[in-house]
Amino acid sequence: MQHVSMNLNIPQPLFVGTIEGATACTSDTETQDILPKFIVMILLQGAQHFIVDDVSFRIDAGYGEACAPFVFVLNVARASKLKFIDASKVPLRKIMISAPLSWMNWLISAQTDGVPALQSFLSAHLANFRIDASRHILTLAEQLMSPPTAMQGEMRTLFRSSRAFELMSLTCAELAARKAERQGPQLSSARQSERVYNYILANLGEDLTIETIARESGGSVSSVQRHFKEHFGLTVFEFIRRSRLERAYEALEREGATIGQAAYLAGYNTPSNFTTAFKKTYGILPKYKRR
């Protein structure tokens, strides 16, 4: 079944579009006029070929077992001509996030501690780079593609908007981190926090201690705690609790897990404590999420 959604009703300046099942963004292969914009594409599956101002771009995440999702970032610094080349037959799974360049520049000018690497990137027409999709990015992308069914209306829009902004933030952090790495060997705080994030998600079922997390991510206990809170707005253990609850939510809604099983996945010793935490977080008793 094909599904194409190119307007999720997220207010300007942010535009978010998703494609799932179609082989192209549009059936229109004519040249289009586009305004200056900062673009973040998360390609989960499939390939695309497009041309901007006579510069050809080919991106391919593969299909099936050969699938290798990634993020492609493109800066269109001036009014340009865009043309899609409809050559692929593989169904796309893609998220497109863009913001007008005027808004991005306003955002930078409003800061007293702006990021020079981002400013430099936004000044270059057709500047681009790609990064592999980390576990964090994939989690956000899947949440944006398929928000929880309990979220409807404005809550659904806010949920998708928050994921889109976080994906843009991660992209800008990666840009700044690459610049920092070229200037010195020290691992940036953003990259260290990303390592912590990925390690936690890969080991949610283990007995996670801050000492183990710090050792595995290559930082000290104090730097891990400080940088993670700065980067994600949560302490390490707040994130662990939230992630385990999200895993339990998925097990209830999609796998039909029992309350006891979900409580175990979330790391609670008793179903009653789990039920209290679940209702506080999601505003609903877990028994109503079982399929």
Side-chain angles (χ1 to χ4, degrees):
M1 180 178 178
Q2 290 189 357
H3 169 70
V4 179
S5 171
M6 290 307 292
N7 188 348
L8 300 180
N9 298 318
I10 295 175
Q12 287 295 323
L14 198 65
F15 169 84
V16 178
T18 66
I19 299 177
E20 186 162 18
T23 58
C25 292
T26 174
S27 59
D28 186 0
T29 57
E30 297 298 317
T31 300
Q32 309 169 30
D33 292 316
I34 57 172
L35 295 173
K37 63 182 68 178
F38 176 74
I39 301 169
V40 177
M41 304 180 206
I42 299 93
L43 196 61
L44 302 171
Q45 174 184 285
Q48 284 203 291
H49 179 198
F50 57 94
I51 299 171
V52 182
D53 286 352
D54 297 324
V55 177
S56 179
F57 295 92
R58 296 176 184 269
I59 56 177
D60 189 349
Y63 181 68
E65 293 184 358
C67 213
F70 63 90
V71 181
F72 180 73
V73 185
L74 176 65
N75 183 60
V76 181
R78 58 173 180 261
S80 302
K81 301 290 186 181
L82 166 68
K83 182 176 182 179
F84 285 101
I85 309 298
D86 187 10
S88 176
K89 302 303 179 185
V90 174
L92 280 171
R93 293 193 77 232
K94 172 188 172 183
I95 293 170
M96 169 84 163
I97 306 169
S98 69
L101 204 60
S102 57
W103 182 81
M104 292 292 293
N105 288 328
W106 168 84
L107 184 65
I108 289 174
S109 67
Q111 313 305 314
T112 57
D113 55 349
V115 180
L118 180 58
Q119 297 176 31
S120 176
F121 185 84
L122 295 177
S123 68
H125 185 49
L126 302 186
N128 64 89
F129 69 94
R130 60 175 283 173
I131 58 175
D132 293 334
S134 66
R135 183 186 292 270
H136 184 191
I137 287 173
L138 288 175
T139 297
L140 291 170
E142 292 297 344
Q143 289 177 349
L144 197 155
M145 293 284 283
S146 304
T149 54
M151 291 190 174
Q152 299 295 328
E154 63 273 20
M155 293 303 297
R156 190 180 184 89
T157 297
L158 287 170
F159 181 86
R160 281 173 155 161
S161 181
S162 69
R163 271 48 183 178
F165 272 117
E166 189 167 356
L167 285 165
M168 285 190 69
S169 175
L170 287 171
T171 298
C172 293
E174 174 68 22
L175 180 63
R178 289 186 174 200
K179 182 71 172 179
E181 284 183 349
R182 286 195 292 270
Q183 294 174 342
Q186 186 175 9
L187 184 67
S188 72
S189 64
R191 278 184 176 264
Q192 182 190 76
S193 296
E194 187 77 8
R195 284 189 176 184
V196 171
Y197 185 105
N198 290 333
Y199 178 77
I200 290 171
L201 289 185
N203 295 276
L204 275 177
E206 305 298 324
D207 182 18
L208 292 168
T209 67
I210 189 62
E211 291 78 14
T212 300
I213 293 169
R215 183 174 65 251
E216 293 296 329
S217 61
S220 67
V221 168
S222 60
S223 69
V224 164
Q225 291 174 316
R226 182 175 70 256
H227 294 318
F228 194 89
K229 180 66 181 292
E230 290 172 352
H231 194 59
F232 294 110
L234 297 168
T235 67
V236 169
F237 288 105
E238 285 171 343
F239 175 68
I240 291 171
R241 285 194 294 270
R242 191 188 74 174
S243 298
R244 285 173 172 165
L245 276 174
E246 287 179 354
R247 185 172 65 167
Y249 187 110
E250 291 286 318
L252 288 166
E253 185 176 57
R254 300 185 181 179
E255 301 168 22
T258 66
I259 304 300
Q261 289 169 334
Y264 175 78
L265 287 173
Y268 288 85
N269 293 325
T270 65
S272 60
N273 288 341
F274 165 68
T275 297
T276 300
F278 191 95
K279 188 174 188 302
K280 184 178 179 180
T281 302
Y282 297 111
I284 190 173
L285 292 172
K287 66 182 180 179
Y288 294 121
K289 295 310 301 176
R290 292 195 68 205
R291 66 179 176 91

